[in-house]
Amino acid sequence: IDQNNIRDCSYKKLDVTMKLFGLVQTVQEITRSSYLGHVSTNTTIDVIMTNCYSKFLSCSVLDNRIGDHQAIKCVLDYNVVKTEKFRKLLIRDHSVNSINDFNLFLKDGTNYNPILQCQDVNMAAEGLNHHVNQYYEVFCPIKTIKIHNNYLYKPSKEFLKARRTRDNMWRKYKKHYRAPYSALIPLL
C-alpha cells in the first residue's frame, strides 16, 4: 500500500481500519526508492502503527538502507520503572512444623525434675522461663527474608493462630502467676 497515494482504494481501506482501532501511522516520509530502467518510484510502504502516539517523540527515516528499504528510527518517551531493591526483614520461624516440634519437645523431651524439686517458687519460675525461652530460640529461630519496600505485611493463618495461642497463654500466665503479693496471702 502506497501511503503517498491517498486516493488509492487500498490506502482508504487501511485508513478506515486504523481509525476503527484508534491507530496512527507514525512514518510520514518515503521509505523505499526503486528504479526500474528509466522509471523511479518513491513509496512509504514501511509502517509503524501505534495507539499511543503521545509517547512518540520523533519518527524519522534514515539514509541507511536495508535491502531496498531505508531504516526507520523512532524515539519513544517511555519511563522504564526499575524494580525496587529488596530489603531484609527478620522474622521468627513460626511454621506449623516448628511449633509442633517445640510443643512435642516441651511435652515429652524435657526433664522438669530440677524445676519441680526447687523449693523457691521464684527460682522455679525463672528456671522454667529460661528453659522455655532457650528452646524456643532453637525450635523457632529468627530467619531473614527479602521483601519489596512497598510490601504490605500479611501474615499467614498459621502464624496468626500461633500468635493468638501465645497471647492467650501469656494472659493466663499474667492472671495466675503475676497476682499481687497480697492476693497470695490467705485472709485470716
Side-chain angles (χ1 to χ4, degrees):
I1 299 172
D2 182 8
Q3 295 185 45
N4 296 328
N5 185 2
I6 60 174
R7 292 193 175 115
D8 184 33
C9 184
S10 298
Y11 174 75
K12 288 180 182 180
K13 287 180 184 178
L14 175 65
D15 189 47
V16 168
T17 305
M18 288 192 321
K19 287 179 182 175
L20 180 67
F21 291 105
L23 298 172
V24 176
Q25 208 300 72
T26 59
V27 180
Q28 300 297 324
E29 299 175 40
I30 295 171
T31 59
R32 182 172 186 255
S33 298
S34 63
Y35 305 98
L36 184 58
H38 298 294
V39 180
S40 67
T41 58
N42 297 317
T43 56
T44 306
I45 62 170
D46 298 308
V47 297
I48 297 177
M49 294 181 207
T50 182
N51 63 350
C52 56
Y53 187 69
S54 61
K55 297 291 184 185
F56 273 78
L57 297 178
S58 68
C59 184
S60 59
V61 177
L62 304 176
D63 291 332
N64 300 341
R65 297 181 70 81
I66 301 172
D68 60 346
H69 297 264
Q70 290 177 282
I72 301 171
K73 175 186 173 186
C74 292
V75 179
L76 306 174
D77 179 29
Y78 281 105
N79 295 327
V80 178
V81 178
K82 294 181 182 177
T83 58
E84 296 180 10
K85 297 286 183 184
F86 288 105
R87 68 180 170 100
K88 293 179 181 177
L89 177 69
L90 298 176
I91 64 167
R92 179 95 37 203
D93 182 10
H94 286 116
S95 65
V96 171
N97 291 339
S98 296
I99 297 295
N100 288 340
D101 291 344
F102 183 50
N103 286 336
L104 186 64
F105 175 77
L106 291 178
K107 180 181 173 188
D108 299 330
T110 302
N111 182 10
Y112 292 106
N113 284 334
I115 296 170
L116 294 173
Q117 293 173 358
C118 186
Q119 298 298 322
D120 186 12
V121 174
N122 290 332
M123 296 265 307
E126 285 180 24
L128 180 61
N129 190 29
H130 174 71
H131 179 73
V132 170
N133 284 334
Q134 177 184 359
Y135 287 105
Y136 177 71
E137 295 287 335
V138 172
F139 284 96
C140 301
I142 293 176
K143 63 181 183 180
T144 304
I145 61 171
K146 292 181 180 179
I147 61 170
H148 284 286
N149 286 330
N150 57 358
Y151 173 75
L152 297 175
Y153 177 63
K154 295 180 182 175
S156 65
K157 290 179 183 177
E158 64 184 39
F159 172 75
L160 291 174
K161 183 179 176 184
R163 191 167 68 182
R164 278 192 299 273
T165 303
R166 185 202 62 191
D167 291 345
N168 288 338
M169 291 172 68
W170 176 248
R171 272 192 232 93
K172 287 179 184 178
Y173 171 76
K174 282 188 354 184
K175 181 178 178 183
H176 294 290
Y177 298 106
R178 297 279 180 141
Y181 181 72
S182 60
L184 298 176
I185 300 174
L187 297 174
L188 296 174

